[in-house]
């Protein structure tokens, strides 16, 4: 059975450089740097690293054009990994499980290029993957890769994959998500709504700009002049969605500190917080710093806390670029905060990140059922520590980028049951329709066109 939702090839413009060679290097006798970087990034992910930072590190050797091509390859392959595995399962004797995991990833990269990257000629996708397999695993692996990829290429117009009758199994395979995650969502939302979410998760994540020191219209004009496509962002009236990007950090508006990058869901968390102007606010899990920067627009002082001094240095560098002078980094553990009696605490806790699978496609394959319990325990500790830093009558904003009730409503309900002097207090400020349910913020990727997010606004008794 063919799959129209997940299997239709898409053409990608402007990436031919890496398909035909890097900086003019011929294909014969070598593997392009872009493909070597892609393979190395996947090896690092298998070793426990996260996609975004390891890509930034590995891709430094690439020029901007090849960096964009490699990013499309990696993010796209990881979004469709489950479907690619289903294609390969019937074309690798004994199945993918018998192969070295690195060779399995090379085959996924090759099949993704064949089916989904229209700028890459079939001969290049096959020859480059075969040569890469030979370099990393020897002649036997290269022969296997050649046979498998040529078969996929022959079958490309009639790729047949056996899809189970069970709706949950079918969704998991067709839309490339772990079955246990899909099963949770089907139980909560039903098959139709879950499929909408899975489809949204497999779209390319947009880049959103938050203007600072300039109006949205002025920033839009500056970016348009630089060749960047701009349109209004969802959920927030002063944000911009960016398209046709070159190197972001090379834009004049970026270097001049006129914007920073933030998904509208993250911006909406700070809108939901509805903090009084002129207060002292502590963001106890601040890195990478976007929410702290938003809070600094109205607060007198923002204390940006994080356990990692290195991550805080990046927050401080971004604040300096943007000319934000009331944000102060504080190295420390949010479970034992070094600040006390502040007007408000933002607790944007570590979580499973199930609301950001579109932006971080590696997360869906890294996640385990046990992570819900592990994260839940950490979140309870952070709630205990963060609440102790709030003055009497002050506010605690608890937020996640998770869609899971164990990390969201259930955490808030448990905290309120254990702390009778705290109450849930919805914001007075109006928010987009459908985003506040039961007094708490709920942003869903398939409903709102942004990352998933949750927040609860808690008031300490006076």
């Amino acid at each position: 059975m063919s799959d129209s939702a997940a299997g239709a090839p898409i053409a990608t413009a402007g990436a031919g450089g890496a398909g035909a060679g890097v900086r003019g290097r011929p294909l014969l006798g070598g593997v392009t740097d872009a493909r070597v970087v892609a393979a190395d990034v996947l090896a690092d992910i298998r070793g426990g690293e996260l996609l975004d930072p390891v890509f930034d590190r590995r891709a430094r050797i690439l020029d901007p054009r090849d960096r964009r091509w490699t990013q499309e390859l990696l993010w796209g392959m990881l979004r469709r990994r489950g479907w690619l595995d289903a294609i390969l399962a019937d074309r690798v004797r004994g199945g993918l499980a018998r192969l070295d995991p690195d060779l399995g990833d090379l085959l996924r990269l090759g099949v993704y290029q064949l089916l989904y990257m229209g700028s890459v000629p079939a001969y290049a996708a096959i020859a480059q993957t075969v040569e890469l397999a030979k370099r990393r695993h020897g002649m036997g692996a290269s022969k296997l890769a050649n046979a498998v990829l040529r078969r996929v290429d022959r079958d490309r117009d009639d790729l047949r994959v056996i899809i189970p009758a069970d709706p949950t199994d079918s969704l998991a395979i067709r839309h490339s998500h772990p079955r246990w995650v899909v099963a949770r969502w089907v139980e909560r939302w039903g098959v139709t709504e879950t499929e909408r979410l899975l489809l949204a998760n497999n779209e390319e994540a947009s880049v959103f700009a938050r203007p600072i020191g300039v109006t949205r219209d002025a920033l839009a004009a500056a970016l348009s002049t630089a060749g960047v496509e701009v349109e209004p962002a969802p959920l927030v009236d002063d944000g911009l969605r960016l398209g046709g990007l070159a190197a972001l950090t090379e834009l004049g508006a970026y270097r001049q500190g006129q914007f920073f990058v933030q998904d509208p869901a993250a911006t909406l968390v700070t809108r939901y917080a509805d903090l009084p102007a002129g207060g002292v606010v502590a963001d106890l899990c601040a890195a990478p710093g976007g929410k702290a920067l938003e809070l600094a627009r109205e607060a007198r002082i923002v204390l940006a806390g994080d356990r990692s001094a290195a991550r805080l240095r990046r927050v401080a560098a971004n604040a300096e670029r943007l000319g934000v002078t009331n944000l102060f980094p504080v190295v420390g553990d949010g479970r034992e905060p070094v600040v006390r009696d502040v007007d408000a605490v933002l607790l944007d806790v570590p979580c499973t990140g199930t609301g950001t699978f579109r932006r971080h496609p590696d997360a869906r394959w890294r996640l385990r059922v046990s992570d819900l319990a592990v994260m839940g325990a950490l979140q309870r500790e952070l709630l205990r520590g963060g609440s102790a830093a709030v003055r009497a009558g002050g506010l605690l904003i608890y937020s996640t980028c998770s869609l899971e009730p164990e990390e969201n409503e259930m955490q808030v309900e448990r905290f309120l049951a254990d702390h009778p002097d705290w109450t849930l207090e919805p914001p007075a400020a109006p928010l987009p329709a459908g985003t506040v349910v039961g007094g708490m913020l709920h942003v869903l990727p398939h409903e709102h066109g942004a990352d998933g997010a949750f927040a609860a606004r808690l008031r300490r008794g006076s």
Side-chain angles (χ1 to χ4, degrees):
M1 174 179 174
S2 64
D3 172 65
S4 59
I10 55 175
T12 303
V22 174
R23 301 191 184 96
R25 181 193 306 163
L27 285 175
L28 295 177
V31 178
T32 61
D33 291 342
R35 291 179 173 91
V36 172
V37 166
D40 288 342
V41 166
L42 292 173
D44 291 336
I45 289 173
R46 292 194 306 274
E49 295 192 58
L50 304 182
L51 174 58
D52 293 84
V54 73
F55 177 79
D56 286 344
R57 188 180 78 246
R58 290 283 189 182
R60 287 172 187 162
I61 66 168
L62 304 177
D63 66 26
R65 188 184 188 198
D66 293 324
R67 179 186 172 96
R68 290 194 301 275
W69 186 89
T70 310
Q71 186 170 23
E72 180 197 342
L73 172 61
L74 282 167
W75 267 253
M77 185 279 274
L78 288 166
R79 287 191 190 104
R80 296 180 182 269
R81 198 184 89 170
W83 178 246
L84 298 174
D85 285 1
I87 291 171
L88 287 166
D90 293 334
R91 294 167 175 84
V92 175
R93 186 175 300 172
L96 278 177
R98 78 173 182 86
L99 300 182
D100 183 287
D102 186 73
L103 180 57
D105 274 339
L106 297 184
L107 292 177
R108 293 180 182 114
L109 290 173
V111 173
Y112 187 82
Q113 291 170 65
L114 280 173
L115 300 182
Y116 296 102
M117 298 186 75
S119 62
V120 181
Y123 76 85
I126 295 170
Q128 288 279 284
T129 306
V130 168
E131 180 62 25
L132 201 51
K134 180 180 178 181
R135 286 189 181 188
R136 295 169 80 98
H137 301 284
M139 185 63 72
S142 71
K143 290 180 178 179
L144 182 147
N146 186 61
V148 170
L149 294 180
R150 289 189 181 280
R151 183 177 174 189
V152 171
D153 188 36
R154 287 195 304 271
D155 297 345
R156 66 163 64 228
D157 294 328
D158 189 26
L159 279 172
R160 297 192 175 273
V161 173
I162 297 173
I163 303 296
D166 177 77
T168 299
D169 291 334
S170 173
L171 288 175
I173 290 174
R174 290 188 296 114
H175 300 300
S176 295
H177 281 66
R179 188 194 185 281
W180 71 270
V181 174
V182 175
R184 288 175 57 86
W185 292 349
V186 167
E187 183 177 1
R188 195 183 324 157
W189 291 311
V191 170
T192 301
E193 198 73 5
T194 296
E195 185 162 28
R196 288 184 61 215
L197 172 57
L198 301 178
L199 286 167
N201 284 347
N202 286 338
E203 295 173 358
E204 184 176 353
S206 297
V207 176
F208 296 97
R210 298 287 303 131
I212 189 163
V214 296
T215 65
R216 187 191 75 171
D217 291 346
L219 176 61
L223 292 173
S224 295
T225 300
V228 179
E229 302 165 10
V230 296
E231 61 181 80
L235 298 178
V236 293
D237 55 9
D238 58 345
L240 292 171
R241 188 198 306 268
L242 310 185
L245 281 174
L248 187 71
T249 57
E250 296 303 312
L251 294 171
Y254 182 89
R255 294 197 306 270
Q256 292 162 22
Q258 295 181 354
F259 74 94
F260 60 98
V261 173
Q262 185 178 64
D263 189 87
T267 307
L268 203 62
V269 168
T270 61
R271 299 276 175 89
Y272 169 86
D274 195 19
L275 301 182
V280 177
V281 181
D283 181 352
L284 296 182
C285 304
K291 293 185 181 71
L293 290 168
E294 283 293 331
L295 296 174
R297 295 179 190 270
E298 299 292 336
R300 179 166 58 88
I301 292 174
V302 173
L303 303 170
D306 199 272
R307 289 193 300 172
S308 168
R311 282 162 60 86
L312 279 178
R313 281 194 289 272
R314 296 181 66 180
V315 174
N318 208 20
E320 183 177 3
R321 176 181 66 83
L322 297 164
V324 175
T325 59
N326 61 336
L327 187 154
F328 301 94
V330 179
V331 178
D333 191 325
R335 292 171 292 186
E336 300 291 341
V338 296
V339 298
R340 282 291 186 272
D341 294 325
V342 296
D343 298 309
V345 161
L346 172 63
L347 206 57
D348 188 37
V349 296
C351 66
T352 57
T354 53
T356 62
F357 281 172
R358 169 169 43 188
R359 195 167 299 282
H360 306 295
D362 56 319
R364 70 181 76 172
W365 307 115
R366 188 173 59 249
L367 198 61
R368 299 290 178 265
V369 178
S370 58
D371 291 338
L372 283 167
V374 172
M375 288 297 180
L378 174 59
Q379 289 154 6
R380 287 191 292 275
E381 290 184 44
L382 285 164
L383 270 168
R384 175 191 53 78
S387 62
V390 179
R391 66 166 174 80
L395 286 166
L396 171 66
I397 312 303
Y398 173 82
S399 71
T400 78
C401 56
S402 171
L403 306 180
E404 312 314 309
E406 294 94 327
E407 301 182 275
N408 297 340
E409 305 97 307
M410 293 170 64
Q411 285 285 19
V412 173
E413 291 163 4
R414 179 171 178 167
F415 175 79
L416 293 175
D418 293 341
H419 299 80
D421 56 328
W422 287 81
T423 56
L424 176 67
E425 182 184 278
L431 293 175
T435 59
V436 178
V437 180
M440 293 174 274
L441 181 73
H442 293 264
V443 182
L444 299 173
H446 60 296
E447 291 288 348
H448 303 113
D451 289 348
F454 169 87
R457 188 175 186 267
L458 308 173
R459 175 78 70 180
R460 186 173 196 169
S462 56

